[in-house]
Amino acid sequence: MKLKFTSITLTSVAFVVFSLFQSVAFTQETNTDPAKPVVKFNPFDGVIVGGYVDNGAFINFTGPGVSLTIKKSKFLLGMLPSLRYKEDKGLFKNFPITPNLGVGFTYCYNMIAFQVPLYYNAKTATANGRWNIGVGIGVRLKYK
């Protein structure tokens, strides 16, 4: 029985993401007023996300961006350095794993992260360039 590359990839990403729940030690930082919103720029927010976009899977790490923290919630807007997994169906095939840089919005509550990324596919001889929207779920490694 031949399995599809995307189903194996999604299963592997889900296994890695959910296994991090058991293996990551979280530190609590004391804040004098936890209800006060905090806005700051971070080079890395400690969020790993796996998800689906453009008939393929992705795994990304939230990169440079701006974050807003309110109590246990964190809103992130920034760049997403990623690895995308997509199997081509045409006559000429690209390598299925490619590095990619996306941009997107991530919402974190405690350790869970939900993401809406945007990735750009460049223009080729057979298709116009366009932005693709995706969805993802992951874990927040640095919980403060």
Side-chain angles (χ1 to χ4, degrees):
M1 183 171 137
K2 183 179 177 186
L3 295 175
K4 289 197 169 271
F5 180 78
T6 56
S7 63
I8 293 171
T9 304
L10 287 174
T11 305
S12 300
V13 168
F15 176 77
V16 169
V17 168
F18 291 117
S19 67
L20 288 173
F21 280 114
Q22 302 299 323
S23 64
V24 175
F26 296 95
T27 60
Q28 290 287 337
E29 187 175 285
T30 58
N31 188 358
T32 58
D33 188 11
K36 182 180 176 185
V38 177
V39 176
K40 63 181 181 175
F41 172 80
N42 290 324
F44 175 67
D45 282 301
V47 179
I48 298 175
V49 177
Y52 174 82
V53 65
D54 190 31
N55 297 319
F58 69 85
I59 184 168
N60 69 36
F61 307 90
T62 55
V66 178
S67 67
L68 169 67
T69 305
I70 303 172
K71 294 184 182 179
K72 294 182 179 183
S73 295
K74 189 169 192 174
F75 303 90
L76 307 164
L77 181 65
M79 296 190 295
L80 308 169
S82 310
L83 286 175
R84 288 183 59 190
Y85 306 91
K86 184 177 177 184
E87 188 174 6
D88 287 338
K89 305 263 191 268
L91 181 62
F92 299 104
K93 298 183 182 210
N94 291 321
F95 191 72
I97 302 171
T98 56
N100 206 326
L101 181 64
V103 62
F105 174 76
T106 307
Y107 170 72
C108 302
Y109 184 78
N110 284 344
M111 296 173 17
I112 303 289
F114 302 98
Q115 188 177 78
V116 179
L118 291 165
Y119 292 102
Y120 186 74
N121 286 352
K123 182 180 177 180
T124 64
T126 59
N128 289 327
R130 66 185 193 117
W131 286 93
N132 295 300
I133 190 167
V135 293
I137 188 167
V139 295
R140 181 175 167 191
L141 301 177
K142 296 189 321 184
Y143 175 64
K144 295 180 183 179

